Amino acid sequence: MTNTLMTHLNFLWAGLRQHGQTGGLVPSQRFLIARMIAPVAKNYYGEIIELGSGSGALTLQLARRCPRARILASEINPTLARDCRRNLTRAGRADQVEVVCIPAERLLTELGRRRAAPADFIISGIALGNLSKQRAASLLDAIRQNLGADGMFIQFQHSLLDRKNIQARFPNTRTVPVWLNFPPAFIYFAQP
């Protein structure tokens, strides 16, 4: 069995067994990924935080687009985190990306304690609608606290249910539909 097929099967299995955690049954497709990473300049050389990296579909494309950037990717599912690392290694991008297998809230708390400067970009595929209202609010607050004044929070969802929660923390929010993704998705481009 090929590694790509195994990666997709692992994602499907995670989505079926832990849908509340994974939020999907298939990795994001190229149409969604291209739209999500478009605001990050190709010559960007800072650090990008990715929350909910899954098996690394977006992570890999982001690393290819911005070869000088450092990416810190968080994935709570150990199987998907392993697949993400493997896919990055196979593509020769393992030195550019650190994949950690911890909850996003914990990562952001730790970064907030030790970080000298806030992030310019935080990109998330976490299914906010699958979290409790309190946990989603807490996560959004942590993202806001770790984002620079001119930074951008990029979040995709398969519904518009969390739009008000995002806009409450990021007054400058633009929502873009991506109909060609399966299932269709909405991207929030949010700034303080």
Side-chain angles (χ1 to χ4, degrees):
M1 189 176 311
T2 68
N3 284 331
T4 302
L5 178 58
M6 195 63 186
T7 296
H8 286 298
L9 288 175
N10 285 341
F11 199 99
L12 175 64
W13 184 245
L16 290 171
R17 285 195 68 219
Q18 299 168 319
H19 186 71
Q21 184 183 72
T22 305
L25 298 175
V26 295
S28 301
Q29 285 89 60
R30 67 175 191 244
F31 306 105
L32 177 61
I33 292 169
R35 274 281 181 80
M36 286 184 74
I37 66 176
V40 185
K42 290 180 181 181
N43 63 350
Y44 180 74
Y45 58 89
E47 183 178 59
I48 301 168
I49 299 169
E50 182 186 7
L51 307 174
S53 63
S55 56
L58 184 142
T59 317
L60 182 56
Q61 293 307 315
L62 182 60
R64 286 179 177 149
R65 177 182 173 81
C66 307
R68 295 175 50 204
R70 293 280 309 141
I71 302 167
L72 176 58
S74 170
E75 174 50 53
I76 195 171
N77 182 300
T79 302
L80 296 181
R82 182 197 67 219
D83 286 349
C84 185
R85 285 186 200 102
R86 186 180 321 161
N87 291 333
L88 290 162
T89 298
R90 202 171 38 239
R93 298 289 177 180
D95 292 342
Q96 184 184 359
V97 182
E98 179 183 359
V99 180
V100 294
C101 188
I102 61 174
E105 300 94 324
R106 190 170 122 208
L107 172 68
L108 292 170
T109 299
E110 289 176 13
L111 288 175
R113 285 188 201 133
R114 65 182 165 119
R115 178 179 293 271
D120 292 323
F121 295 96
I122 298 178
I123 300 175
S124 173
I126 294 176
L128 297 174
N130 290 350
L131 304 177
S132 69
K133 287 185 180 186
Q134 182 179 352
R135 189 164 172 217
S138 177
L139 177 60
L140 289 170
D141 288 339
I143 290 168
R144 178 62 191 95
Q145 291 167 0
N146 279 275
L147 191 67
D150 295 324
M152 181 178 284
F153 167 49
I154 304 168
Q155 169 75 53
F156 92 88
Q157 298 287 273
H158 294 292
S159 74
L160 296 171
L161 295 175
D162 291 292
R163 184 191 313 203
K164 287 182 182 178
N165 289 333
I166 293 171
Q167 288 176 328
R169 289 152 182 90
F170 299 93
N172 185 11
T173 298
R174 183 172 53 99
T175 307
V176 176
V178 181
W179 304 117
L180 294 177
N181 192 67
F182 177 77
F186 298 92
I187 303 172
Y188 298 98
F189 296 101
Q191 294 180 285

